[in-house]
């Protein structure tokens, strides 16, 4: 019986991961950003964290962070992968422990007063670089380096069809026409409210004047003046109601247009 069980055990296939490498097509693994030539490691850590946040904002993508990779692969493998400067240096690594389809690698080097950024997208199933690009930024401007890194990596992901192309950056795109229509509508409401207020003040002044002149007017003249004042007061009320409606509608349109 024991020999039979041993034979069955030996003929069973080796255990495999619950996932197939490259099956999680919506998941990207992000290597630690590699800094060289006296660039501060803290800068690259901050750039890496910023990239992880930006990629995670894409609804169709999930991110395996550098911290997760360190647990999965170990510090030595991470160091070797992060320092890869040739496209073929990824082929010799075992990525079966990473439940992701692609690896994103970014290196930042200094050449004179310029920071040179090189990004690669690696197909983990094949261990091959499928796309790469580079960018530059002033080496002394950390915010410019961060922006360049974000644009470079997200541009590669868009080019490979892994992320959606943004309509435009909020700083570059025009404001929605709905927003401007709301601003115009709300502005018309403010102007109308000002007109209603001026008309109301005029009604009050005419009412006071009619009281002062009442003793010198005949009944017909008094009734005509009072009728004119009432008409203006009614018009002021209608104008004020319309102004409020325009202001509310304009505000709502501005909120919708800003989203």
């Amino acid at each position: 019986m024991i020999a039979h069980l041993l034979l069955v055990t030996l003929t069973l296939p080796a255990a495999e991961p619950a996932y197939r490498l490259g099956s999680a097509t919506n998941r990207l693994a992000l290597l630690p950003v590699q800094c060289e030539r006296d660039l501060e490691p803290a800068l690259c850590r901050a750039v890496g964290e910023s990239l992880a946040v930006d990629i995670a904002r894409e609804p169709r993508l999930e991110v395996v962070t550098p911290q997760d990779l360190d647990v999965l692969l170990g510090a030595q493998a991470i160091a070797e992968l992060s320092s890869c400067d040739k496209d073929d240096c990824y082929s010799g690594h075992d990525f079966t422990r990473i439940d992701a389809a692609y690896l994103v690698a970014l290196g930042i080097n200094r050449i004179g007063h310029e920071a040179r950024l090189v990004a690669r997208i690696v197909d983990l199933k094949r261990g091959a670089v499928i796309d790469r690009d580079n960018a530059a930024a002033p080496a002394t401007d950390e915010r410019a380096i961060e922006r360049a890194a974000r644009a470079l990596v997200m541009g590669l992901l868009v080019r490979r069809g892994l992320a959606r192309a943004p309509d435009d950056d909020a700083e570059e795109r025009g404001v929605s026409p709905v927003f401007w229509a709301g601003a115009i509508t709300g502005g018309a409401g403010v102007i109308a409210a000002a007109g209603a207020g001026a008309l109301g003040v005029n009604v009050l002044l005419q009412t006071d004047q009619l009281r002062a002149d009442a003793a010198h007017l005949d009944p017909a003249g008094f009734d005509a003046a009072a009728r004119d004042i009432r008409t203006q007061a009614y018009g002021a009320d209608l104008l004020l109601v319309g102004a409020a409606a325009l202001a509310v509608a304009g505000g709502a349109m501005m909120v919708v247009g800003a989203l």
Side-chain angles (χ1 to χ4, degrees):
M1 177 64 71
I2 295 176
H4 178 70
L5 289 175
L6 180 60
L7 179 62
V8 172
T9 303
L10 290 175
T11 57
L12 288 174
E16 295 183 357
Y19 61 88
R20 291 183 299 106
L21 179 63
S23 63
T25 55
N26 66 327
R27 190 171 297 143
L28 303 175
L30 182 61
L31 276 174
V33 178
Q34 181 71 13
C35 275
E36 300 178 5
R37 298 287 299 275
D38 300 328
L39 286 170
E40 287 291 336
L43 168 63
C44 282
R45 284 196 298 272
V47 170
E49 292 172 359
S50 177
L51 282 176
V53 171
D54 286 334
I55 295 173
R57 286 197 183 107
E58 170 60 45
R60 297 182 299 176
L61 292 179
E62 297 177 11
V63 182
V64 179
T65 66
Q67 293 78 12
D68 296 331
L69 281 182
D70 188 51
V71 173
L72 294 170
L73 300 180
Q76 181 177 350
I78 291 295
E80 292 175 0
L81 289 170
S82 298
S83 60
C84 279
D85 57 0
K86 296 180 180 178
D87 290 353
D88 60 357
C89 62
Y90 300 95
S91 59
H93 288 271
D94 180 14
F95 295 115
T96 55
R97 298 187 65 186
I98 306 175
D99 187 12
Y102 302 97
L103 183 74
V104 178
L106 174 65
I108 307 176
N109 203 347
R110 182 199 294 270
I111 302 178
H113 298 292
E114 189 175 69
R116 300 291 299 177
L117 298 87
V118 178
R120 295 178 176 88
I121 305 295
V122 182
D123 184 333
L124 290 178
K125 195 171 186 179
R126 293 183 291 157
V129 175
I130 58 174
D131 209 344
R132 59 176 290 163
D133 208 342
N134 63 83
T140 57
D141 190 339
E142 295 183 354
R143 296 298 296 273
I145 293 174
E146 181 190 8
R147 288 193 296 269
R150 183 187 307 122
L152 177 61
V153 172
M154 296 307 295
L156 277 177
L157 296 179
V158 169
R159 192 160 76 194
R160 299 305 304 183
L162 301 173
R164 297 175 303 177
D167 295 333
D168 276 322
D169 200 32
E171 298 175 354
E172 298 175 358
R173 73 183 179 202
V175 179
S176 168
V178 176
F179 178 89
W180 289 119
I184 293 172
T185 302
V190 172
I191 294 173
L199 188 57
V201 170
N202 187 51
V203 167
L204 290 176
L205 293 175
Q206 290 187 53
T207 301
D208 290 340
Q209 186 63 43
L210 181 60
R211 289 196 188 98
D213 296 340
H216 308 290
L217 293 175
D218 56 43
F222 182 88
D223 289 342
R227 191 181 308 112
D228 183 58
I229 292 174
R230 283 195 299 271
T231 300
Q232 293 185 55
Y234 182 67
D237 289 342
L238 290 179
L239 189 57
L240 186 59
V241 171
L246 288 173
V248 171
M253 292 170 69
M254 291 175 69
V255 170
V256 172
L259 296 178

